[in-house]
Amino acid sequence: MDSYLLQTTTTQTNEEMIDELMKTYGQDVLQLVVQYVHNVTIAEDLTQEIFIKCYKALPTFQQQSSMKTWLWRIAINHAKDYMKSWYFKKVELVEQTYLQERPSYQTVESIVVQRDEDDALVHAVMQLPIKYREVIYLCYYEEQTMKEIADVLQINENTVKTRMRKGKQLLKKQLEEEFNG
Amino acid sequence: MDDRLKNLKKAMNESVFSKVEFTSTHQKRVHQQLNESQVVQHILSLLVDKKTGIELAQLLHAKGVQDIFNNEGVIYTILHEQENKGHIISQWDDAGVKCYQLTKSGLKWLRSQNREKKTLFARKQQLLEVRLNDHF
C-alpha cells in the first residue's frame, strides 16, 4: 500500500490532511462499508463518521503503519461496531438497497448470461458470513496481498488463508446449488 | 472458483457499487460536522461552572473560536441540542437570566471526546477563569 501520501503531507494541517484522505480514499472507504452493511445510505453516514473519527484520532496516529492501513482499520472497526449495535440488530430494514436495480440496456443474449453469472457471484459473495466475505473482498476487489489483508484485519496471515479457502468453498457450494436449483 | 472471482471487481462495480459514490457533498458535510463538534466541545468545556449565554459568548470570543464570529446564534442552537441530549441543564436565576451548566453525562461525553486532553482542559479552564475574573 502506498505510504507516499503521508510523507508528502506532513506539513499540512489536520483538516487539510482529512481533505486529502477523503479525496484519495473516500470512494474506496464508502465501498468497503457498503460491503459490510449492505445499505448505501447507512454506509454514507458511517463513512462520514469514519472520517470524523479519523480527524480526531490523527494526533494519535503513530507512523508504524501506512496511513491507508490505519484508515482501513478505523473504517472496518466502525462498520463492525455498527453491526454489533442495538439499532442494527433490532431495527429491520425494509429495503436492502444493494442489487436492487439491474440496468436494462443489455439485449444481446450472451451479455445477459454473463451478467446473470456475475450477479449470482456478487450476490453469493455478499451473502457470505462477514469473516469470509471481508477477506474475499479485500483480496479480489481491492487486490490486496495476503500480508496486507492480515495487517488491515489484524489477524494472522495463515488465518487469512484459511478463511479464504473456506470462503471459496462456501461460494462454490452456494453457486452450484443455485445453478442446479 | 478463482477464475470467476477475478470477475468480482467488474461485477461489483456494475451492480452493487453502480450507485455508490463519495461526492463533494459528503466531504462538505464532514467539514461541517468537524467544525461543529469542536465548538460543542469548547462550549461544554466552559460550562463546568454555571454560566449565562452572554458570558459564554464572551468567553468563546476570548478563546478565539472562529466559528462563532458573526454567528453567535449558533451557540444557542448548540446549547439547546446539548440540553436535549442531557449534556447540560439550564435554569432561570433570580435576575431572570438563563444559566447553563454541565451535567455528569455531559462531562463523561466530553472526557470521551478528548481523552488525551483531559488534564489540559481543566488547567486551561482555570486559567481562563482567572483572566475573566480580572476583567469583569
Side-chain angles (χ1 to χ4, degrees):
Chain A
M1 276 184 235
D2 49 330
S3 52
Y4 171 72
L5 183 76
L6 178 69
Q7 279 140 21
T8 55
T9 55
T10 38
T11 52
Q12 288 180 329
T13 67
N14 285 354
E15 209 150 319
E16 286 166 340
M17 199 106 132
I18 288 295
D19 244 356
E20 186 116 18
L21 280 176
M22 283 197 287
K23 250 179 237 150
T24 323
Y25 298 126
Q27 180 71 28
D28 293 337
V29 171
L30 181 59
Q31 290 179 346
L32 179 73
V33 179
V34 171
Q35 177 260 138
Y36 280 106
V37 299
H38 288 189
N39 181 298
V40 181
T41 323
I42 292 171
E44 283 172 346
D45 286 349
L46 289 177
T47 306
Q48 284 172 33
E49 286 164 25
I50 286 164
F51 281 109
I52 288 167
K53 242 189 182 175
C54 212
Y55 176 83
K56 284 181 184 150
L58 260 181
T60 62
F61 172 62
Q62 322 217 312
Q63 320 203 345
Q64 289 160 348
S65 58
S66 84
M67 200 106 200
K68 188 179 171 186
T69 310
W70 180 71
L71 176 59
W72 252 240
R73 278 185 197 158
I74 293 180
I76 290 170
N77 286 336
H78 196 69
K80 285 182 178 170
D81 279 349
Y82 171 75
M83 285 186 292
K84 272 184 230 155
S85 70
W86 179 91
Y87 185 82
F88 181 78
K89 282 181 182 163
K90 301 292 178 193
V91 182
E92 219 170 286
L93 288 167
V94 186
E95 43 164 0
Q96 287 233 325
T97 45
Y98 87 97
L99 270 187
Q100 218 171 29
E101 291 176 49
R102 298 181 184 202
S104 51
Y105 50 76
Q106 339 92 349
T107 44
V108 189
E109 206 167 85
S110 62
I111 300 178
V112 176
V113 172
Q114 176 63 37
R115 170 155 290 275
D116 279 353
E117 266 183 12
D118 284 350
D119 275 354
L121 174 70
V122 173
H123 190 75
V125 170
M126 290 298 260
Q127 292 306 320
L128 282 177
I130 288 172
K131 60 178 182 179
Y132 306 120
R133 194 200 318 154
E134 61 187 4
V135 286
I136 288 194
Y137 176 82
L138 290 172
C139 176
Y140 288 95
Y141 189 84
E142 294 197 359
E143 290 157 357
Q144 296 191 15
T145 65
M146 294 290 165
K147 198 175 167 303
E148 285 166 344
I149 297 174
D151 208 23
V152 163
L153 294 174
Q154 289 172 289
I155 51 177
N156 195 295
E157 218 177 309
N158 287 324
T159 317
V160 177
K161 285 177 189 159
T162 316
R163 288 187 186 171
M164 192 84 82
R165 203 180 319 120
K166 182 80 201 284
K168 281 185 201 163
Q169 280 170 9
L170 287 171
L171 268 184
K172 204 171 166 190
K173 211 174 128 203
Q174 175 75 27
L175 289 170
E176 272 167 5
E177 262 171 30
E178 220 165 86
F179 185 71
N180 294 330
Chain B
M1 202 63 246
D2 275 321
D3 286 341
R4 286 196 69 177
L5 276 169
K6 275 178 193 140
N7 259 331
L8 183 67
K9 186 161 187 168
K10 201 175 131 261
M12 282 184 101
N13 279 337
E14 283 170 4
S15 55
V16 190
F17 293 151
S18 66
K19 290 266 154 54
V20 178
E21 202 193 345
F22 189 79
T23 60
S24 55
T25 327
H26 294 127
Q27 281 196 34
K28 264 184 220 140
R29 246 182 271 157
V30 171
H31 276 289
Q32 270 170 14
Q33 279 180 47
L34 281 182
N35 288 337
E36 203 164 291
S37 73
Q38 277 178 329
V39 181
V40 172
Q41 284 180 41
H42 274 301
I43 290 181
L44 289 189
S45 70
L46 287 169
L47 286 177
V48 176
D49 293 319
K50 204 157 50 171
K51 279 192 188 65
T52 68
I54 297 167
E55 284 172 341
L56 196 59
Q58 284 167 341
L59 278 169
L60 286 170
H61 277 300
K63 272 186 139 188
V65 179
Q66 297 283 343
D67 306 275
I68 64 153
F69 289 161
N70 300 322
N71 187 21
E72 290 182 7
V74 77
I75 298 173
Y76 295 94
T77 333
I78 292 171
L79 283 172
H80 197 80
E81 271 172 18
Q82 294 302 314
E83 195 181 347
N84 281 341
K85 281 186 188 166
H87 289 167
I88 57 173
I89 47 163
S90 68
Q91 69 189 97
W92 296 93
D93 72 357
D94 300 335
V97 187
K98 207 174 183 185
C99 295
Y100 303 88
Q101 191 171 17
L102 201 64
T103 61
K104 262 189 188 162
S105 90
L107 188 65
K108 210 170 143 194
W109 181 83
L110 197 56
R111 287 231 169 99
S112 74
Q113 290 298 301
N114 37 168
R115 210 160 274 143
E116 70 270 28
K117 296 184 205 151
K118 194 164 71 182
T119 48
L120 260 180
F121 117 81
R123 294 268 159 66
K124 219 174 173 186
Q125 168 75 20
Q126 285 170 350
L127 272 176
L128 268 173
E129 288 290 273
V130 172
R131 256 184 256 158
L132 189 77
N133 290 337
D134 288 345
H135 283 290
F136 295 100

